[in-house]
Amino acid sequence: MEKINIGNNVFLLPMPMVLVGSRIKGRPNFMAVAWVSRVNASPNVMCVAIGNKFTAEGILENKEFSINIPSVDLMPQTDLMGIVSGRDYDKSKEFDIFYGALKNAPMICECPVMMECRLVKSVRLEVDTLFMGEVMNVWSEEKYLTNGAPDITKVSPFCLSMPDNRYWSLGKEIGKAWHEGMKLKDKLQKI
Ligand SMILES: Cc1cc2nc3c(=O)[nH]c(=O)nc-3n(C[C@H](O)[C@H](O)[C@H](O)COP(=O)(O)O)c2cc1C
């Protein structure tokens, strides 16, 4: 089948939406972030890619931030945190705030899962900065857990697709990771 080159600015990958919390000059602030990923296993390090935003100033100021996972019912509030800047609006009153061990990593009580992170490294790219934070603690509530771990069906996170800029909830479970491929392994030629 002939492939069509559709440019270099098309990312259909669903990106999980999070809210990044920081404190800037003493004021808590939250921003919507889609460019987020785990980037190291031990210690557990999460990375967020953030442009020239108010949040970036706060992370550089205090070397701490939070990653809050909103559920689908928080979608409009999450979107709002991506529309206005803390430079122009006080976004600290939009949520109930919770602090864990880090005093400059405000977390959102309404979110089912919250991580408090200590900045371990930042990498400046042309436009964005990659902020890598060691996850110090993850917070949740009993109602979002199954056998002590966050249950994705209870947490109900949502994703962004680009460049159409739309939000998506999750579909059905389709299999077990590190398991479904085993059925095919015998067909591989061992070296
Ligand atoms: C759906 C969505 C996803 C976004 N993802 C990012 C992102 O990954 N990185 C980024 O720098 N800005 C992202 N933004 C833009 C910021 O959230 C937005 O500029 C925000 O106003 C910054 O807030 P602040 O200035 O208070 O830090 C996103 C916005 C939306 C609506």
Side-chain angles (χ1 to χ4, degrees):
M1 198 64 77
E2 194 188 336
K3 301 291 181 197
I4 306 163
N5 183 341
I6 55 172
N8 67 358
N9 194 27
V10 180
F11 315 98
L12 195 58
L13 284 175
M15 305 174 202
M17 284 304 303
V18 298
L19 288 159
V20 170
S22 60
R23 262 165 83 96
I24 305 126
K25 299 183 185 82
R27 172 156 55 89
N29 188 59
F30 300 101
M31 80 173 269
V33 166
W35 299 356
V36 54
S37 184
R38 181 182 183 178
V39 289
N40 195 62
S42 182
N44 291 319
V45 176
M46 296 290 294
C47 180
V48 287
I50 295 179
N52 178 29
K53 316 287 165 153
F54 199 45
T55 298
E57 291 176 30
I59 297 175
L60 290 171
E61 181 188 327
N62 297 303
K63 315 278 185 277
E64 294 174 357
F65 61 96
S66 70
I67 296 176
N68 305 266
I69 303 178
S71 49
V72 290
D73 54 309
L74 285 174
M75 185 262 289
Q77 292 93 327
T78 303
D79 196 51
L80 176 65
M81 298 299 114
I83 294 171
V84 299
S85 171
R87 289 193 182 106
D88 309 314
Y89 292 88
D90 181 359
K91 296 192 268 184
S92 69
K93 306 286 188 311
E94 289 309 301
F95 304 104
D96 289 332
I97 293 174
F98 165 82
Y99 287 95
L102 306 180
K103 295 304 158 215
N104 294 294
M107 290 177 280
I108 299 174
C109 288
E110 291 87 337
C111 285
V113 180
M114 311 165 267
M115 306 170 207
E116 48 179 333
C117 304
R118 207 190 50 209
L119 185 70
V120 288
K121 196 179 176 93
S122 60
V123 177
R124 191 78 227 257
L125 300 178
E126 274 72 11
V127 173
D128 291 84
T129 301
L130 307 180
F131 292 107
M132 289 165 239
E134 180 178 348
V135 180
M136 308 310 290
N137 297 293
V138 183
W139 301 85
S140 189
E141 288 170 51
E142 196 57 49
K143 65 180 176 182
Y144 299 117
L145 310 181
T146 298
N147 300 327
D151 182 327
I152 204 155
T153 62
K154 298 176 182 172
V155 172
S156 196
F158 61 97
C159 297
L160 171 76
S161 60
M162 293 179 91
D164 56 343
N165 295 347
R166 286 189 286 169
Y167 294 120
W168 303 86
S169 62
L170 293 186
K172 295 195 299 283
E173 178 191 335
I174 57 163
K176 280 195 164 187
W178 283 278
H179 179 81
E180 305 295 337
M182 291 306 276
K183 298 172 202 158
L184 308 175
K185 196 177 161 205
D186 289 346
K187 291 188 192 152
L188 288 182
Q189 201 164 1
K190 200 157 189 314
I191 295 164

